[in-house]
Amino acid sequence: MTLHYGKLRAKIKTSFLVADQYPKYILHGTNGSFIKYGMDAQENDILAGISPSEPNFGADNPDNYGKLTYINAYGDPVEHKMETPRGNYGLMYQNCVDVILHGAEKEVTDEQILTQLEILDAGFKAEGPHMQYFN
């Protein structure tokens, strides 16, 4: 799927039928690129029975760190491995509690949720490659 945001373009790809994993994130700019493999480590830890209270919960495997490649001020290419920041699913659930019990502002707005559902729904409705326009 290709999403267009003015001059910016985002491609989304997925397949269960490939022998090797595809990068999770590929970002290209005029002077550099960022590529990252692997899922959020929290998901693997949860499936492995590791508690979120463990000190290394959600720590990414260094093999899955992102690689930033850019051109420095002298025109030389530079590569830099970037440690993955740790996520925290618990904060999302805490926000749900705070919204319901204390009237806090939602971290993910209704509009954002509806946009994601529209994108997913459009992918199911049409066969093969197609263009889908959203308001």
Side-chain angles (χ1 to χ4, degrees), residues 116-133:
Q116 290 176 356
L117 291 173
E118 285 178 24
I119 291 169
L120 291 171
D121 189 49
F124 287 114
K125 285 184 177 175
E127 291 187 29
H130 65 281
M131 295 291 289
Q132 182 71 40
Y133 297 94

Side-chain angles (χ1 to χ4, degrees), residues 16-62:
F16 293 107
L17 305 174
V18 295
D20 200 1
Q21 70 171 326
Y22 192 78
K24 186 73 173 163
Y25 302 100
I26 302 174
L27 304 169
H28 296 296
T30 54
N31 290 319
S33 297
F34 176 78
I35 298 176
K36 165 129 179 36
Y37 285 86
M39 297 291 291
D40 185 331
Q42 293 177 93
E43 186 173 338
N44 291 332
D45 286 356
I46 289 168
L47 292 173
I50 299 171
S51 170
S53 64
E54 293 292 323
N56 287 329
F57 178 81
D60 205 356
N61 181 324

